[in-house]
Amino acid sequence: MDDSLFISVFIPVYNGENYLRETLLSVQNQSYTYFEVLMVDDSSTDSSLQILNEFAKVDSRFKVFTKENGGMVANSMNFIRPKIRGDYFFYASQDDLFSSDLFEKMVQRQIETDADSILPDMEVFYEKQINNKQIIGLNGNRKVELSGKLACEKSLTWKIHGFALFRSRLVKAEFFPEDAFDSDEYVTRKLFLNSNKVVFSEGVFYYRQDNPNAITKTFGKKNFYILNSSWKLYLLIKQNTFSDAVIFSQQIGILQQYADIYSTFRNCRFEVASEKVDVEIFLADFKKKHLTNSFLFHNFRFIILNLKWKYILWVIIYETSFLFRLVINYKARFKGNLIRVS
C-alpha cells in the first residue's frame, strides 16, 4: 500500500512504566509506517518520561511533550490538539496494544470508502485470559456502513466501540470538557454524529482491562463528576432529534446514575475534608440545575403511552424528598463497607 494518509497517534502518559514500553513497541511495529506518535507526559514520577525519550531518540516519528499535571486525559487532549498534523487521528491509553496490521487495515478501508471514521475490531484485553470478548463490526458485520447519527446511537449501548480512526479536522474542532475524567465518552459520540459515515475494518485494538492503576480502575473524587459527561450526552441526543426511545434511555440512565453516585457518596470516607464538601455541593447543584420538572417530564407522552412504570416510579422518588432519602439510605447500606476516597 502506498503511504497516502498520514496518521497522528495520541498517547497520554502518567506513571505508566509497567506497560508503556510494550504499548509503544506495538505502535512502532506497524506494517503501515506513515504516522507520528504524540506522547504527552503529564508530570510522571516514575520512569515513564525516560521510556518516552528512549523511543523518540531512535525513531523520529515519536515526539515527546511534557506538561504540568492536569489529572485528566481531556487536559492532555486539549494540549495536543493544535499539534496534530495527521490527516487522521487515533487515540490509545498508555497500556493498550495494537495488532501489527491495525493501521494498514484501517487505512485500506478509508481508501475504499472515504469515511470520516473507521473502527477496527476491539478486544477487551486481559493478558492471562483466553477467549476475551471482542466487538467486531456491527453484530459481527464489517461490511456495513453507518450514518454518523446511527453510529452515535449504536455507541450508546456499546453495540460499537469508540476506538476509531477519526478524520483529524473533526477532532481538532472539538474542545474536550475538563469537568469529568470520562469526557471522551461524550466527545467520541459527538465525533460519530459529525462523521459523513462510519465503517469497519480488520486489525485489532486491544483495550487493556487488567491494569489496576488505570484511571478507569481507580476510585476517587473524579468518579462523582461523570454526571457531567452523562448530562452533555443527554443534551447532544435531545438537540439532534434522536428518537423518543433513545432520549428516554438517557433520561432514566441519568436518574439511576445520580441515585447510585449519591448513595456511593453517603458510603465514602474522604481523607481530605474539603473534597467531601466539594462533592456534596456538586451533587446538590446537579440535582437543582438539571433534575428539574422540565427534565423529569420531558418525553412524558412517550413514557405514558409505552407504560414505562419504572421511570414513573423514579420521578415520584425524585419529587418526594422523604422517598429519595429512603432510597439513598437503603442503597448506601446495601453497598456495605466504606469506600476510601484519597
Side-chain angles (χ1 to χ4, degrees), residues 135-303:
I135 298 179
I136 299 173
L138 177 63
N139 300 321
N141 182 3
R142 296 193 193 95
K143 295 182 179 180
V144 64
E145 297 184 6
L146 304 180
S147 68
K149 188 171 184 178
L150 183 56
C152 179
E153 180 180 331
K154 295 298 182 183
S155 72
L156 296 173
T157 53
W158 276 82
K159 297 294 184 184
I160 65 174
H161 63 84
F163 297 102
L165 184 69
F166 289 112
R167 198 179 294 270
S168 292
R169 62 172 173 78
L170 298 179
V171 178
K172 295 176 77 171
E174 293 297 329
F175 177 81
F176 284 64
E178 297 181 16
D179 58 357
F181 84 93
D182 67 336
S183 64
D184 58 306
E185 293 283 337
Y186 159 71
V187 175
T188 297
R189 274 55 181 261
K190 194 173 181 183
L191 292 173
F192 282 145
L193 183 63
N194 292 334
S195 295
N196 64 347
K197 54 186 165 182
V198 177
V199 300
F200 304 90
S201 74
E202 295 180 312
V204 184
F205 178 78
Y206 297 92
Y207 179 32
R208 186 182 290 277
Q209 295 295 296
D210 54 4
N211 178 5
N213 297 316
I215 191 171
T216 55
K217 301 299 181 183
T218 59
F219 185 86
K221 178 182 175 182
K222 63 178 174 59
N223 292 77
F224 296 98
Y225 294 89
I226 62 176
L227 285 164
N228 286 328
S229 296
S230 297
W231 183 255
K232 290 184 181 70
L233 189 54
Y234 164 72
L235 291 179
L236 182 72
I237 289 166
K238 181 182 173 184
Q239 292 164 358
N240 285 276
T241 61
F242 279 73
S243 70
D244 289 337
V246 173
I247 294 172
F248 167 74
S249 293
Q250 291 304 117
Q251 282 179 281
I252 193 168
I254 287 175
L255 292 184
Q256 292 172 330
Q257 186 181 50
Y258 183 87
D260 286 341
I261 287 176
Y262 201 101
S263 65
T264 297
F265 169 73
R266 293 289 299 273
N267 214 44
C268 284
R269 183 180 68 200
F270 288 79
E271 294 189 356
V272 180
S274 62
E275 290 193 351
K276 180 177 181 180
V277 174
D278 290 344
V279 172
E280 188 169 25
I281 292 172
F282 165 72
L283 292 174
D285 283 350
F286 186 91
K287 185 178 181 184
K288 181 179 179 180
K289 292 177 181 177
H290 300 315
L291 304 185
T292 61
N293 285 340
S294 62
F295 168 77
L296 294 173
F297 292 99
H298 177 77
N299 215 20
F300 213 65
R301 184 173 182 273
F302 168 85
I303 292 163

Side-chain angles (χ1 to χ4, degrees), residues 39-221:
M39 308 175 295
V40 179
D41 181 69
D42 200 31
S43 300
S44 295
T45 57
D46 65 1
S47 64
S48 292
L49 183 55
Q50 178 183 337
I51 295 170
L52 298 182
N53 285 329
E54 287 175 9
F55 276 81
K57 185 176 181 179
V58 300
D59 192 330
S60 62
R61 297 174 301 177
F62 288 73
K63 299 173 175 60
V64 180
F65 301 87
T66 58
K67 59 182 287 296
E68 292 184 6
N69 185 259
M72 291 184 294
V73 171
N75 184 266
S76 293
M77 184 66 231
N78 290 326
F79 171 85
I80 206 67
R81 277 188 309 128
K83 300 172 177 60
I84 295 170
R85 298 189 301 120
D87 304 298
Y88 275 74
F89 173 89
F90 196 84
Y91 163 82
S93 294
Q94 62 193 13
D95 55 6
D96 297 325
L97 297 171
F98 301 11
S99 68
S100 61
D101 61 350
L102 179 66
F103 292 171
E104 178 184 344
K105 296 300 185 182
M106 290 191 298
V107 169
Q108 245 175 15
R109 192 74 171 117
Q110 193 285 328
I111 292 171
E112 293 170 0
T113 63
D114 194 34
D116 285 340
S117 303
I118 302 93
L119 283 167
D121 297 346
M122 189 272 280
E123 180 174 316
V124 180
F125 182 67
Y126 295 86
E127 192 161 358
K128 296 182 179 180
Q129 181 174 304
I130 59 174
N131 299 321
N132 287 317
K133 177 184 176 180
Q134 292 187 329
I135 298 179
I136 299 173
L138 177 63
N139 300 321
N141 182 3
R142 296 193 193 95
K143 295 182 179 180
V144 64
E145 297 184 6
L146 304 180
S147 68
K149 188 171 184 178
L150 183 56
C152 179
E153 180 180 331
K154 295 298 182 183
S155 72
L156 296 173
T157 53
W158 276 82
K159 297 294 184 184
I160 65 174
H161 63 84
F163 297 102
L165 184 69
F166 289 112
R167 198 179 294 270
S168 292
R169 62 172 173 78
L170 298 179
V171 178
K172 295 176 77 171
E174 293 297 329
F175 177 81
F176 284 64
E178 297 181 16
D179 58 357
F181 84 93
D182 67 336
S183 64
D184 58 306
E185 293 283 337
Y186 159 71
V187 175
T188 297
R189 274 55 181 261
K190 194 173 181 183
L191 292 173
F192 282 145
L193 183 63
N194 292 334
S195 295
N196 64 347
K197 54 186 165 182
V198 177
V199 300
F200 304 90
S201 74
E202 295 180 312
V204 184
F205 178 78
Y206 297 92
Y207 179 32
R208 186 182 290 277
Q209 295 295 296
D210 54 4
N211 178 5
N213 297 316
I215 191 171
T216 55
K217 301 299 181 183
T218 59
F219 185 86
K221 178 182 175 182

Side-chain angles (χ1 to χ4, degrees), residues 14-26:
Y14 178 72
N15 289 353
E17 63 182 6
N18 290 342
Y19 300 100
L20 183 56
R21 185 171 277 105
E22 185 180 7
T23 294
L24 297 181
L25 282 172
S26 75

